């Protein structure tokens, strides 16, 4: 009879996870290759072209107004409910929590902080770069536009570039950037591209962004992903610093659990004669080595370090103690006379031997 345990699909998945190495040796950090540099330069040129097209109120701004007047949300109202939920995939809060949870699990499994630190660096770059352009250009959104055909720049808005689109590119693209295999990286790259394109198109459908906002958001997010290899040395130093700080705190915690030695109860005190002495603190000693029935007497001990400094660095020779018994010294006339205890007569065996010897001597007559 076979008694092999039949595992369910979920149990087989967890069994494979248990066999996963803690720190895979094949993981390699992406490097700034020539191909990546070319992509970065092309994306940057596209980014600048969109900014110039909006600043000069070119055909791109006219396209923005045409799409706004088309009102896609009125053309296909049946999609509105679904796209309201889909656009959440571009919001910074929910997406950052979901991706951080997954990367945190990976960090715990592989005993490395690189995934979480990389996500933090990418989000920091996203907030700084996109936020600076938003505030600097101050463009108004379609729902707040006031002049038809205008680019609506420097009007106090914060819509250009699209933060939803850029956040979707960075947050989901970081999964592909941190993938451990080439196949996984390709699959996640496709998934992140589909999600980011969908989120950008949804914002145009809902009328919350211009078309040019979405184009610039895609470019801004892609620039951050392409530039991340330049920050890999900083990420490695941050990881080493965090691990070093953790080891330091562990050592301090382990040292704190060891009882303090008796020497920690000695406190330097300046005596009336102007000499430093070490005074034994009873409370500190009791805290260091608690004993239920031991009474500690506070005593003043000459400080060795102070005496050595006074003698030019040479420690003085210790003087012998005058009394080691702890009793007061008395002169001979004050001592109590001691009477020897017991009888002065010899022992019984000695008396018997003396009587035997006396009986053996001959008696002589007179």
């Amino acid at each position: 009879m076979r008694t092999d345990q039949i595992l369910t699909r979920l149990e087989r998945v967890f069994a494979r996870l248990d066999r996963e190495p803690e720190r895979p040796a094949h993981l390699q950090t992406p490097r700034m290759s020539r191909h990546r540099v070319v992509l970065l330069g092309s994306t940057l040129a596209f980014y600048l072209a969109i900014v110039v097209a909006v600043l000069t109120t070119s055909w791109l701004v006219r396209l923005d107004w045409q799409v706004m007047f088309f009102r896609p949300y009125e053309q296909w109202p049946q999609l509105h409910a679904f796209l309201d939920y889909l656009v959440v995939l571009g919001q910074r809060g929910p997406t950052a929590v979901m991706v951080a949870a997954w990367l945190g699990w990976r960090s715990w499994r592989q005993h490395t902080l690189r995934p979480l630190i990389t996500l933090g660096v990418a989000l920091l770059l996203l907030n700084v770069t996109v936020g600076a352009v938003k505030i600097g250009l101050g463009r108004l959104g379609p729902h707040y536009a006031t002049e038809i055909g205008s680019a609506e720049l420097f009007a106090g808005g914060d819509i250009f570039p699209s933060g939803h689109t850029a956040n979707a590119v960075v947050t989901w693209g970081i999964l592909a950037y941190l993938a451990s295999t080439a196949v996984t990286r390709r699959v996640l790259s496709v998934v992140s591209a589909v999600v980011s394109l969908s989120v950008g198109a949804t914002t145009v459908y809902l009328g919350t962004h211009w078309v040019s906002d979405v184009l610039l958001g895609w470019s801004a997010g892609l620039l951050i992903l392409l530039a991340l290899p330049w920050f890999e040395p900083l990420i490695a130093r941050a990881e080493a610093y965090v691990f070093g700080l953790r080891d330091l705190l562990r050592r301090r915690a382990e040292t704190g659990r060891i009882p303090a030695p008796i020497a920690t109860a000695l406190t330097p005190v300046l005596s009336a004669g102007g000499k430093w002495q070490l005074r034994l603190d009873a409370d500190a000693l009791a805290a260091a080595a608690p004993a239920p029935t031991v009474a500690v007497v506070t005593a003043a001990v000459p400080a060795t370090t102070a005496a050595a400094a006074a003698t030019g660095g040479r420690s003085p020779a210790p003087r012998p103690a005058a009394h080691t018994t702890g009793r007061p010294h008395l002169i001979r006339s004050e001592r109590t006379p001691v009477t020897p205890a017991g009888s002065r007569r010899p022992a019984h065996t000695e008396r018997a031997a003396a009587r035997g010897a006396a009986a053996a001597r001959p008696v002589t007559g007179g």
Side-chain angles (χ1 to χ4, degrees), residues 45-115:
F46 184 71
Y47 184 97
L48 296 176
I50 295 173
V51 173
V52 172
V54 173
L55 288 174
T56 57
T57 316
S58 65
W59 61 270
L60 186 57
V61 177
R62 293 194 297 270
L63 177 63
D64 290 339
W65 281 97
Q66 290 174 0
V67 174
M68 193 273 287
F69 285 133
F70 181 69
R71 291 183 176 85
Y73 56 89
E74 293 182 356
Q75 302 296 327
W76 301 285
Q78 65 275 11
L79 300 177
H80 200 289
F82 170 73
L83 294 180
D84 271 340
Y85 290 102
L86 180 64
V87 77
V88 177
L89 296 178
Q91 291 183 358
R92 186 171 295 109
T95 55
V97 170
M98 289 187 290
V99 174
W102 168 255
L103 295 181
W105 184 84
R106 276 192 57 185
S107 298
W108 176 75
R109 283 288 302 173
Q110 299 176 356
H111 294 271
T112 176
L113 292 176
R114 179 175 171 265

Side-chain angles (χ1 to χ4, degrees), residues 97-170:
V97 170
M98 289 187 290
V99 174
W102 168 255
L103 295 181
W105 184 84
R106 276 192 57 185
S107 298
W108 176 75
R109 283 288 302 173
Q110 299 176 356
H111 294 271
T112 176
L113 292 176
R114 179 175 171 265
L116 286 177
I117 297 178
T118 304
L119 175 64
V121 171
L123 292 180
L124 180 61
L125 292 174
L126 175 67
N127 292 331
V128 171
T129 56
V130 174
V133 177
K134 279 177 174 286
I135 297 174
L137 296 179
R139 190 181 191 187
L140 294 176
H143 292 313
Y144 302 96
T146 58
E147 184 180 352
I148 297 176
S150 171
E152 301 292 341
L153 293 173
F154 311 110
D158 57 352
I159 207 71
F160 183 71
S162 171
H164 274 70
T165 305
N167 184 74
V169 174
V170 172

Side-chain angles (χ1 to χ4, degrees), residues 190-202:
V190 173
V191 172
S192 62
V194 171
V195 172
S196 58
L197 290 174
S198 302
V199 169
T202 300

Side-chain angles (χ1 to χ4, degrees), residues 3-72:
T3 59
D4 296 342
Q5 182 180 3
I6 300 177
L7 300 177
T8 63
R9 180 175 298 179
L10 183 60
E11 290 173 344
R12 289 197 297 269
V13 170
F14 281 108
R16 291 186 61 185
L17 291 177
D18 290 337
R19 292 195 299 268
E20 181 183 352
E22 293 182 350
R23 188 185 293 271
H26 61 276
L27 290 181
Q28 295 181 356
T29 58
R31 300 184 180 278
M32 207 65 185
S33 61
R34 182 178 301 178
H35 178 67
R36 185 179 288 269
V37 171
V38 171
L39 287 178
L40 180 64
S42 303
T43 307
L44 181 60
F46 184 71
Y47 184 97
L48 296 176
I50 295 173
V51 173
V52 172
V54 173
L55 288 174
T56 57
T57 316
S58 65
W59 61 270
L60 186 57
V61 177
R62 293 194 297 270
L63 177 63
D64 290 339
W65 281 97
Q66 290 174 0
V67 174
M68 193 273 287
F69 285 133
F70 181 69
R71 291 183 176 85

Side-chain angles (χ1 to χ4, degrees), residues 21 38-39 64 106 133 143 175 177 184 210 212 227 250 281 295 302 322:
V38 171
L39 287 178
D64 290 339
R106 276 192 57 185
V133 177
H143 292 313
L175 298 178
Y177 178 83
T184 306
W210 307 100
S212 56
R250 281 182 177 179
D281 189 357

